[in-house]
Amino acid sequence: MSYGSHYTVLKKECIDTLTEKAPTDVKSYYADLTFGGGGHSFEFLYRNPLFNVRSTDQDPDALKNGNARIESEGMLGRIKLINTNFVHFAEMIREHSPEVFEAGGFQGILLDLGVSSHHFDEATRGFSFRFDGPLDMRMNHESDEFLTAAEIVNTYDEKDLKRIFEEYGEEKNARKIAMKIVEERKVKSIETTKELENIVFHCYPKEHRYGKTNPSTRVFQALRLEVNRELEVLSNTITQLIPLLKMNGRIAIISFHSLEDRIVKNVFRDSMALTELPVEVLTKKPILPTEEEISHNSRSRSAKLRILERIEVKKDKNKYKY
Ligand SMILES: C[S@@+](CC[C@H](N)C(=O)[O-])C[C@H]1O[C@@H](n2cnc3c(N)ncnc32)[C@H](O)[C@@H]1O
């Protein structure tokens, strides 16, 4: 499966803000913690020959495609793609990338959260109810570290299933869906995306089954967040990144739903209260994609970009740039 079709969200906005303060005469380092199809990573490389990138992804397909693209574009000397969950990024960089610290740290760090179009388009990964496939949803499907969606659906008790559908999916029919899953799995374990979609569909009142949004959308989102522990990983990661920044270096984070955005907003705000490493939040309100971007890529409509900058001295009052 090719990554060529992935549309990079808020590309210009991210690269512009992260490169704005880069020196013109020495090397700068950037971190792209969500390499995916490499859209953002390569944009740094194209922007300036002095820019170098350290990227991560935990998805074996993204890594394979990425390494092939890095080689074919002759960028081996300027970008390293690290196979890890980004929660381990800070630790790995400290151990293996002294060159970044010799340069004073990262000029910019980017996270474009969630899964890529590739995940949704590849039936065997189980992220989408559009295709029949195994109910997997692990971003790293070659590791046993996380449970698959099928393991969660077939082993969590009814109370926990209801909780994740409510908390992570804001699903109004959570109680009924959890109850029905438990009932169905007594007869036969639920193994495929279409089996789960069918259960959720029949839990919806008839008049709501054929609306604009597929009834399974929220349940699938909730399961994906639970499988990959996306919210926990995100909140554990952001604070570890701030000490990796060069003075005036920035972190830019694109989130795709309110739960992620709330974590970014709160961790950024709390970081401003700390004095040891002063930072300033540059976005009073998140930056959103333009109407034009949304018309080219409807998935970008829920994207929100927040930016933080490391500063010399803690300010009394935050003056937002955006
Ligand atoms: C939205 S895509 C990024 C797309 C990329 N910016 C582009 O334009 O091509 C998110 C990528 O981040 C990866 N990812 C998500 N959470 C991760 C985590 N905790 N650790 C490492 N990679 C992660 C996913 O596997 C996916 O490939």
Side-chain angles (χ1 to χ4, degrees):
M1 160 67 66
S2 145
Y3 267 78
S5 58
H6 184 86
Y7 185 102
T8 296
V9 175
L10 288 163
K11 180 155 77 178
K12 184 172 183 316
E13 291 82 347
C14 287
I15 309 300
D16 282 355
T17 190
L18 293 177
T19 58
E20 192 182 326
K21 293 197 170 171
T24 50
D25 50 350
V26 289
K27 273 188 184 176
S28 291
Y29 286 90
Y30 288 95
D32 176 2
L33 270 52
T34 48
F35 181 85
H40 289 104
S41 283
F42 275 90
E43 198 56 31
F44 286 118
L45 299 173
Y46 299 150
R47 193 61 78 104
N48 189 322
L50 288 170
F51 293 170
N52 295 271
V53 181
R54 301 292 174 259
S55 296
T56 64
D57 208 295
Q58 61 177 337
D59 181 298
D61 296 347
L63 294 163
K64 201 163 142 241
N65 278 278
N67 282 319
R69 183 172 167 193
I70 290 167
E71 196 172 345
S72 75
E73 295 210 24
M75 294 289 189
L76 280 169
R78 292 176 57 207
I79 175 166
K80 281 191 186 133
L81 180 51
I82 308 166
N83 173 7
T84 185
N85 187 308
F86 60 56
V87 76
H88 306 301
F89 178 74
E91 180 192 323
M92 292 182 86
I93 283 292
R94 277 206 185 84
E95 261 175 53
H96 303 294
S97 296
E99 69 284 3
V100 174
F101 298 97
E102 282 154 22
F106 284 107
Q107 186 67 46
I109 301 178
L110 173 77
L111 286 90
D112 173 15
L113 298 169
V115 287
S116 64
S117 328
H118 169 75
H119 288 115
F120 287 121
D121 294 342
E122 182 65 61
T124 58
R125 303 298 299 273
F127 285 96
S128 175
F129 44 77
R130 284 187 290 136
F131 316 103
D132 199 9
L135 209 43
D136 188 329
M137 300 198 197
R138 287 168 304 169
M139 286 189 213
N140 183 355
H141 59 301
E142 290 177 357
S143 153
D144 292 335
E145 194 187 342
F146 294 162
L147 296 176
T148 64
E151 284 167 325
I152 289 173
V153 162
N154 289 300
T155 61
Y156 275 28
D157 65 22
E158 193 177 317
K159 194 167 76 356
D160 283 336
L161 287 173
K162 173 176 171 283
R163 178 185 53 79
I164 61 170
F165 297 153
E166 267 172 2
E167 272 181 30
Y168 296 165
E170 296 170 43
E171 171 56 64
K172 288 199 179 72
N173 300 299
R175 193 183 57 80
K176 195 165 173 196
I177 296 168
M179 211 170 76
K180 192 70 186 156
I181 285 175
V182 172
E183 197 181 300
E184 290 285 333
R185 75 190 190 193
K186 281 185 195 146
V187 184
K188 181 197 160 297
S189 68
I190 302 155
E191 299 296 339
T192 70
T193 49
K194 285 291 173 192
E195 283 168 4
L196 180 62
E197 188 199 20
N198 193 35
I199 293 171
V200 177
F201 179 80
H202 288 99
C203 290
Y204 263 59
K206 281 205 173 79
E207 64 276 21
H208 293 147
R209 287 180 188 169
Y210 298 98
K212 235 167 70 189
T213 311
N214 184 304
S216 282
T217 305
R218 295 190 173 82
V219 165
F220 273 63
Q221 173 188 294
L223 278 172
R224 195 199 92 202
L225 290 177
E226 177 70 10
V227 166
N228 297 290
R229 297 189 211 131
E230 289 176 49
L231 301 179
E232 181 190 324
V233 163
L234 176 63
S235 43
N236 290 340
T237 302
I238 305 175
T239 43
Q240 296 183 46
L241 300 177
I242 295 173
L244 304 183
L245 286 177
K246 195 174 171 177
M247 189 54 64
N248 296 325
R250 292 178 178 173
I251 300 177
I253 305 185
I254 306 172
S255 63
F256 288 88
H257 55 79
S258 54
L259 296 169
E260 280 174 346
D261 183 55
R262 196 176 312 147
I263 292 174
V264 178
K265 184 173 135 192
N266 292 344
V267 178
F268 275 11
R269 186 202 54 214
D270 295 347
S271 307
M272 279 206 310
L274 306 172
T275 43
E276 228 170 280
L277 278 177
V279 296
E280 184 177 25
V281 176
L282 302 188
T283 40
K284 183 175 172 107
K285 294 227 165 90
I287 295 173
L288 309 178
T290 58
E291 285 301 321
E292 199 201 338
E293 173 161 4
I294 297 170
S295 74
H296 290 300
N297 172 28
S298 61
R299 186 181 168 256
S300 69
R301 72 184 175 277
S302 46
K304 289 186 172 147
L305 169 65
R306 293 189 186 269
I307 305 158
L308 167 146
E309 180 175 317
R310 189 171 162 202
I311 54 173
E312 209 114 18
V313 189
K314 187 174 180 314
K315 296 197 174 151
D316 288 342
K317 265 209 166 136
N318 199 56
K319 287 206 181 77
Y320 298 101
K321 179 176 165 70
Y322 302 106

